[in-house]
Amino acid sequence: MINVIYYNNVNLDICNRYKGANMESKKCYHCGNEVTSFNRIQFDNKQFCCNGCKTVYEIFSENDLISYYDFETAPGATPNPVTRKYDFLEKEEIVDKLLDFKESEIAIATLYIPHIHCSSCIWILENLNKLSLGVYRSLVNFPEKKVSITFNPSQVNLKQLVELLDSIGYAPYISLKNYEEKPKNIDRSLIYKIGVAFFSFGNVMMLSFPEYFNIEDLWIIEYRDFFRWLILLMSLPVFFYSASPYHIAAWNGLKTGNYTIDIPMSLGIIVMFIRSVYDIVFSHGQGFFDSMCMLVFFMLLGKLFQQRTYNFLSFERDYKSYFPIAVTRIEADGGEKPVQVYDVVKGDRLLIRNEELIPVDSILISAKAFVDYSFVTGEAVPVEKKSGDKLFAGGKQVGEVIEIETVKTVSQSYLTQLWSNDVFQKKVDFKYKTITDSISHYFTPVLLIISVLALVYWMFIDYAVAFNVFTAILIVACPCALALSAPFTMGNVIRIMGRKKFYVKNTIVVEQMAKVDTLVFDKTGTITSSAAAGIYYEGADLNIEEKNAIKNIVRGSNHPLSRRLYEFLPVSKVEKPTLFEEIKGSGVTGIVNNQKYNLGSSQFLNVVNVNLVNETAVYVGIGDVLKGKFVFSNNYRNNLSKIFRNLDELGYGLIVLSGDNDGEEAVLRELLPESTTLVFNQKPDEKLRYIEKLQQQGKNVMMIGDGLNDAGALAQSNVGVSVSENINVFTPASDAILDAKKFSKIPAFLKYSKSAIGIIKRSYIMALTYNVVGISFAISNHLSPLVAAILMPISTVTIISFVTIMSNYYGRKNL
Amino acid sequence: MSIIYLLISISVFVAAVFLFLFIRSVKAGQFDDDYTPSVRILFDDELKVNGEEKGSVSEKKNKKENQI
């Protein structure tokens, strides 16, 4: 149920956004990207942003699958240009590891496809058999973003299937992790326990009913024993099976001296059980089995509610989720062959294509390479490497195909070594005491003292009553309302945060967030946006020839801005400039069709009035005339300054910890409040130590980062939040994942976590009041099974509704 | 023997059957994905007809948009 509501909201969201956008401006019919005069492609009365999108549309229309576009507006993704990146799927042993099941005529593969996001996606993927003959059936699991394809391996192989998916914009994400991971068994025992508890609860209630009214009727007297023994029988599975997690947790708590809430819970249940068995066996009364079953059922329900998992996210990623399964090795005879990364040995020659990851430390053989180390070091700009330079594993080649020679094996490489380093392995398992546990630390002793005092008091009056009172206190004081309020509040808070695209690993993280007093930000990718920021042109219009010429000139340049400009400009015919010159740090000059073009910085083109410090622009001069500029929109996130000032006002300590050099210091100083500490040139382990140092000063640190270079710091901090443009891929292990679009909401999320703690505290006051009422009944020996059966559900229901309403209210107010 | 013994045994037995069916379906993974089936049920089977009809409708829609 809960999932349904959540995902529906997401879908509506997407739906509305696209619909709204469609009215205002021109969007690609397939993927919804903006269609500009630079990239428009007309086809079949529709507009597309690129050839890729048009091709997918063509495939669908040829196969009568055009209703893909009816469920959702612009549901597609731009397919990647066909490369040979799936060549490794030709290898039998790799394919066998990826398949769930294989026989001669039938095979099943389950693939993770990050793009799955709407009903159109489900529809097209489940109609895959229309696109490939060998497919028998395909089933989508939407929450997990997975498709399981049953196909005939003699007609179509996995590689063809994957390439088909890629060609229609649904590229599966296959990493080393898929290769190693065994399909894990899902633990469904909690659901079974709830099922059993519900069964017993319902029947026991029904059978207890006649006795509630305490009529000394002949009918009741005749059947009473039958009812009671049946109740006893049906309560056994609840006590021994459904309630077992509480007994086990209590026992562990006692052993480790950790007095958690489970101890009074388990004690209450055990006393209830013993007293009820005693009552029934000696015909004293009907016992408290009805209350016991109900209590266990509600408690387990609370546990389920707290257990909010995001099936499509993973909080435990390590380098294996980033590494490819296989790479292309150049054989001695010059042939290319895919090889499993673990089989790569020292001295192998490997071929790395555009956007492919370098899996091992190696030496560059090709003349030149541009390596994007943003995941390792946080450096934003690709680094230029020359032949003979050393390349570290984890970098991504940007640009043309390169050849490298390995100097280590995968497990000995820098990044993998870093990962097996103890500090990075350090799990945050310091015993965190939840708010419930700290309350129960006082609750249990007080409860025991009260019950013993009552026992002693009644001993002087009546032995039989003394036993009744003693057990009644322990029964009624069983802190179910107390134990339920935190799971229900936190479960709801997590759900609300998830709806706002802030995905929290578990409820403890929310509690820790409320305690945070220092925020540490990574720079690259966190407070700057790593997604290819938009480019727009300002100035006098350029005609097609001029655009062509500019594209042909920037083709020769390897400067990152030139590369981005080249990607941005429309497809054109290749023409070699008659003159081409690159002036380092300034720009490029070229002559095409006897026309001279100058492209570069403001100084290079002698532009006088430059506004904004923060703007990156390439100016365009044709001949001697300044035509205009291509503006690369600001890399810092929107409202960054406002967010930081807001956090500063709220009293948080702010630190920016960057792996980059201090080139941006002046800009950051201007943007951020004065109290912000700026630290540059931090290596991954230095970041970790910095956080450690802060913690030794007694600070509660929340680290907000993005790359693998932050992984250590994220693990060390009290709350590690990884910010991601695409939450489905590329997030290091962390406690929470934040969608980059919601970066500006960080202060609101922090505030909300504080409100959540406030709600829990208020609900504790309510729960304790109920307990006092219950205990006063018990001390005066007035606790009949009927009173217990009324008091317990009332307290539980009122507290659950209170915390749910309050957390929804604060959610609406804060977020 | 009174009828009530029989009735209660039957009612408990029926409840137990449902419990068994519930556990069996959970075990089979029926409740693992509680979203996709709700969408799947709304898709039509007649692809071809559906495709042509809807295709022309959306084309019309598009034409209108272009005129504006």
Side-chain angles (χ1 to χ4, degrees):
Chain A
M1 253 334 272
I2 295 146
N3 271 349
V4 176
I5 296 162
Y6 169 65
Y7 285 111
N8 273 342
N9 282 344
V10 171
N11 274 353
L12 280 178
D13 224 279
I14 291 166
C15 201
N16 290 339
R17 202 171 65 225
Y18 280 127
K19 269 181 193 148
N22 231 15
M23 298 289 145
E24 297 151 15
S25 61
K26 293 199 165 114
K27 299 278 170 182
C28 174
Y29 186 68
H30 177 72
C31 73
N33 278 349
E34 203 171 349
V35 175
T36 63
S37 56
F38 286 105
N39 62 10
R40 175 174 22 211
I41 293 170
Q42 281 277 32
F43 179 76
D44 206 6
N45 269 330
K46 293 167 181 69
Q47 305 211 3
F48 298 94
C49 69
C50 61
N51 263 321
C53 289
K54 193 197 92 180
T55 316
V56 180
Y57 175 79
E58 277 179 296
I59 296 172
F60 290 162
S61 59
E62 274 163 23
N63 290 288
D64 293 316
L65 291 171
I66 213 76
S67 31
Y68 175 64
Y69 298 100
D70 294 331
F71 301 108
E72 207 77 49
T73 316
T78 315
N80 299 318
V82 180
T83 57
R84 299 179 56 199
K85 67 175 169 180
Y86 296 117
D87 279 359
F88 64 89
L89 291 175
E90 281 164 2
K91 274 188 87 118
E92 272 306 299
E93 60 261 41
I94 292 177
V95 170
D96 285 348
K97 285 255 190 181
L98 294 174
L99 292 177
D100 300 340
F101 175 83
K102 193 184 175 188
E103 267 187 11
S104 60
E105 289 288 291
I106 194 162
I108 302 173
T110 306
L111 299 166
Y112 171 62
I113 301 181
H115 182 63
I116 294 179
H117 74 286
C118 68
S119 42
S120 282
C121 303
I122 300 173
W123 185 81
I124 195 73
L125 290 173
E126 299 205 335
N127 279 306
L128 213 58
N129 53 348
K130 305 282 187 310
L131 290 171
S132 170
L133 276 177
V135 175
Y136 294 124
R137 167 173 73 243
S138 46
L139 269 185
V140 174
N141 183 331
F142 188 82
E144 291 185 12
K145 295 183 191 275
K146 277 183 179 158
V147 60
S148 131
I149 303 172
T150 314
F151 62 98
N152 186 343
S154 58
Q155 275 184 324
V156 61
N157 62 33
L158 188 63
K159 187 189 164 200
Q160 287 163 329
L161 272 179
V162 169
E163 280 177 345
L164 170 72
L165 287 169
D166 198 358
S167 74
I168 58 171
Y170 288 94
Y173 186 72
I174 305 171
S175 70
L176 196 55
K177 204 162 191 172
N178 302 68
Y179 182 79
E180 290 198 331
E181 223 170 52
K182 302 274 167 292
K184 50 176 183 260
N185 291 321
I186 314 153
D187 182 24
R188 301 193 183 97
S189 61
L190 181 59
I191 310 274
Y192 302 148
K193 286 186 177 109
I194 290 176
V196 169
F198 187 64
F199 163 80
S200 301
F201 161 53
N203 283 297
V204 167
M205 265 296 168
M206 202 79 99
L207 293 169
S208 305
F209 233 76
E211 277 211 73
Y212 282 160
F213 303 102
N214 218 7
I215 315 156
E216 289 294 317
D217 220 17
L218 197 67
W219 181 83
I220 287 192
I221 293 166
E222 193 185 338
Y223 292 109
R224 200 161 58 191
D225 283 338
F226 169 61
F227 283 179
R228 284 180 181 175
W229 282 97
L230 204 58
I231 289 171
L232 173 61
L233 192 72
M234 273 193 291
S235 302
L236 291 177
V238 176
F239 181 74
F240 287 107
Y241 177 64
S242 298
S244 57
Y246 295 102
H247 303 321
I248 293 167
W251 179 240
N252 287 337
L254 277 180
K255 268 200 301 197
T256 56
N258 198 1
Y259 299 107
T260 57
I261 196 81
D262 293 303
I263 294 172
M265 293 286 310
S266 174
L267 188 67
I269 294 169
I270 291 171
V271 168
M272 240 184 236
F273 182 76
I274 293 172
R275 161 87 185 263
S276 309
V277 170
Y278 172 83
D279 278 358
I280 288 176
V281 170
F282 295 99
S283 292
H284 281 307
Q286 62 179 127
F288 295 86
F289 280 130
D290 47 350
S291 300
M292 186 191 89
C293 293
M294 179 169 60
L295 192 122
V296 172
F297 173 65
F298 275 126
M299 297 302 309
L300 291 172
L301 219 53
K303 224 178 201 173
L304 182 74
F305 202 70
Q306 193 180 19
Q307 230 178 39
R308 181 75 180 91
T309 50
Y310 298 102
N311 291 322
F312 58 100
L313 290 180
S314 168
F315 293 98
E316 321 286 347
R317 293 191 172 117
D318 64 9
Y319 73 93
K320 284 176 191 143
S321 324
Y322 310 89
F323 270 43
I325 290 181
V327 283
T328 315
R329 181 164 66 192
I330 303 170
E331 301 291 301
D333 57 4
E336 295 170 15
K337 205 179 142 201
V339 53
Q340 216 281 318
V341 284
Y342 287 130
D343 295 341
V344 171
V345 290
K346 200 179 146 182
D348 274 357
R349 290 218 167 182
L350 304 178
L351 204 67
I352 307 291
R353 303 191 179 85
N354 184 19
E355 291 292 301
E356 273 185 353
L357 198 105
I358 298 165
V360 247
D361 293 352
S362 43
I363 284 174
L364 184 64
I365 302 288
S366 307
K368 232 200 291 188
F370 274 90
V371 187
D372 173 3
Y373 275 121
S374 54
F375 286 113
V376 188
T377 61
E379 200 82 30
V381 185
V383 189
E384 187 175 345
K385 294 281 179 185
K386 294 242 155 49
S387 183
D389 281 354
K390 194 166 180 196
L391 305 173
F392 288 109
K396 229 184 204 176
Q397 159 66 2
V398 188
E400 53 208 89
V401 178
I402 54 165
E403 212 183 302
I404 57 175
E405 188 176 310
T406 60
V407 291
K408 278 177 183 164
T409 60
V410 172
S411 54
Q412 287 171 344
S413 291
Y414 171 67
L415 192 72
T416 33
Q417 287 276 299
L418 208 64
W419 224 276
S420 35
N421 191 338
D422 279 346
V423 263
F424 274 69
Q425 284 295 319
K426 193 152 122 199
K427 285 269 178 294
V428 195
D429 70 346
F430 50 86
K431 284 271 181 302
Y432 179 74
K433 218 161 161 199
T434 62
I435 184 165
T436 316
D437 288 340
S438 37
I439 278 261
S440 81
H441 205 76
Y442 300 102
F443 186 85
T444 317
V446 170
L447 175 66
L448 285 173
I449 289 169
I450 291 177
S451 46
V452 168
L453 284 179
L455 179 73
V456 172
Y457 171 77
W458 280 99
M459 287 274 232
F460 292 109
I461 301 165
D462 188 342
Y463 275 114
V465 174
F467 171 72
N468 278 353
V469 167
F470 179 67
T471 50
I473 290 175
L474 290 178
I475 289 169
V476 82
C478 181
C480 68
L482 204 64
L484 276 175
S485 60
F488 270 91
T489 316
M490 290 308 187
N492 206 27
V493 166
I494 287 189
R495 225 175 306 281
I496 290 169
M497 283 179 167
R499 237 175 271 159
K500 303 283 176 194
K501 310 248 167 83
F502 182 58
Y503 307 97
V504 177
K505 187 160 82 176
N506 56 39
T507 52
I508 295 172
V509 176
V510 183
E511 276 187 43
Q512 283 181 314
M513 259 175 77
K515 289 193 174 161
V516 162
D517 51 21
T518 307
L519 301 177
V520 180
F521 291 84
D522 169 48
K523 187 174 84 68
T524 315
T526 306
I527 60 176
T528 69
S529 167
S530 63
I535 302 173
Y536 58 94
Y537 177 74
E538 238 172 50
D541 276 341
L542 300 170
N543 61 35
I544 295 177
E545 267 168 49
E546 286 163 343
K547 283 181 206 162
N548 265 346
I550 293 169
K551 182 155 179 144
N552 279 313
I553 290 168
V554 291
R555 172 180 289 119
S557 163
N558 265 325
H559 190 273
L561 289 182
S562 306
R563 302 312 311 163
R564 280 173 63 188
L565 196 56
Y566 178 78
E567 296 281 317
F568 171 72
L569 289 164
V571 189
S572 69
K573 60 176 200 285
V574 181
E575 218 172 321
K576 214 167 165 68
T578 36
L579 179 134
F580 173 82
E581 198 183 346
E582 189 163 1
I583 298 103
K584 226 175 161 102
S586 298
V588 287
T589 306
I591 296 176
V592 179
N593 292 337
N594 297 323
Q595 186 63 266
K596 190 176 173 203
Y597 291 84
N598 286 319
L599 307 164
S601 64
S602 51
Q603 292 98 326
F604 183 57
L605 280 119
N606 298 321
V607 188
V608 207
N609 47 349
V610 187
N611 48 4
L612 290 170
V613 213
N614 215 339
E615 188 184 80
T616 313
V618 169
Y619 289 83
V620 181
I622 300 178
D624 291 328
V625 194
L626 180 72
K627 277 289 203 176
K629 59 183 175 181
F630 287 97
V631 180
F632 297 78
S633 59
N634 185 347
N635 257 331
Y636 288 100
R637 288 191 194 283
N638 294 336
N639 298 329
L640 181 71
S641 178
K642 212 174 121 200
I643 299 162
F644 267 67
R645 280 180 213 292
N646 197 345
L647 287 168
D648 191 38
E649 276 163 31
L650 288 168
Y652 288 104
L654 298 171
I655 294 158
V656 173
L657 207 58
S658 175
D660 242 342
N661 56 36
D662 54 4
E664 295 271 310
E665 188 167 357
V667 183
L668 278 170
R669 278 263 165 257
E670 196 158 321
L671 272 172
L672 306 178
E674 278 170 31
S675 57
T676 314
T677 315
L678 301 177
V679 189
F680 293 97
N681 295 317
Q682 295 285 304
K683 290 202 183 67
D685 47 330
E686 286 169 338
K687 286 191 178 185
L688 189 152
R689 300 217 193 291
Y690 194 91
I691 304 267
E692 211 171 27
K693 219 172 70 202
L694 285 173
Q695 284 171 330
Q696 277 159 8
Q697 291 164 16
K699 299 249 171 35
N700 279 311
V701 185
M702 174 153 149
M703 170 80 201
I704 299 151
D706 72 313
L708 285 184
N709 59 320
D710 301 323
L714 287 170
Q716 177 63 36
S717 59
N718 302 60
V719 182
V721 179
S722 66
V723 177
S724 177
E725 307 283 344
N726 179 0
I727 49 160
N728 300 313
V729 232
F730 288 139
T731 49
S734 56
D735 297 314
I737 298 174
L738 174 68
D739 191 314
K741 288 191 267 309
K742 298 282 175 179
F743 187 79
S744 60
K745 290 273 186 191
I746 287 178
F749 286 122
L750 285 166
K751 244 195 235 168
Y752 188 39
S753 68
K754 286 196 168 158
S755 319
I757 299 295
I759 295 168
I760 292 178
K761 282 184 180 155
R762 265 172 275 170
S763 72
Y764 280 168
I765 295 172
M766 279 175 76
L768 289 173
T769 316
Y770 277 117
N771 262 327
V772 168
V773 172
I775 289 175
S776 58
F777 267 104
I779 289 183
S780 54
N781 192 24
H782 285 304
L783 187 81
S784 64
L786 181 62
V787 172
I790 292 172
L791 199 64
M792 285 194 171
I794 285 185
S795 65
T796 309
V797 167
T798 47
I799 284 186
I800 290 175
S801 25
F802 171 75
V803 297
T804 312
I805 291 169
M806 289 306 273
S807 50
N808 280 336
Y809 167 74
Y810 278 112
R812 210 156 292 161
K813 203 176 124 194
N814 285 340
L815 303 179
Chain B
M1 188 173 144
S2 170
I3 190 72
I4 201 136
Y5 293 114
L6 185 69
L7 285 176
I8 287 187
S9 328
I10 291 175
S11 83
V12 171
F13 175 74
V14 171
V17 167
F18 278 111
L19 177 67
F20 169 74
L21 290 177
F22 172 71
I23 289 177
R24 204 183 65 168
S25 56
V26 171
K27 200 170 239 163
Q30 270 190 35
F31 294 92
D32 289 356
D33 179 3
D34 52 9
Y35 179 77
T36 327
S38 70
V39 177
R40 193 177 292 135
I41 199 166
L42 299 173
F43 296 146
D44 290 321
D45 287 337
E46 293 85 11
L47 268 181
K48 199 146 196 179
V49 183
N50 181 21
E52 277 167 11
E53 268 177 17
K54 292 272 177 80
S56 61
V57 169
S58 59
E59 255 170 40
K60 268 181 213 156
K61 240 194 274 168
N62 232 52
K63 269 176 198 157
K64 259 184 205 164
E65 263 172 35
N66 282 349
Q67 279 166 7
I68 296 163

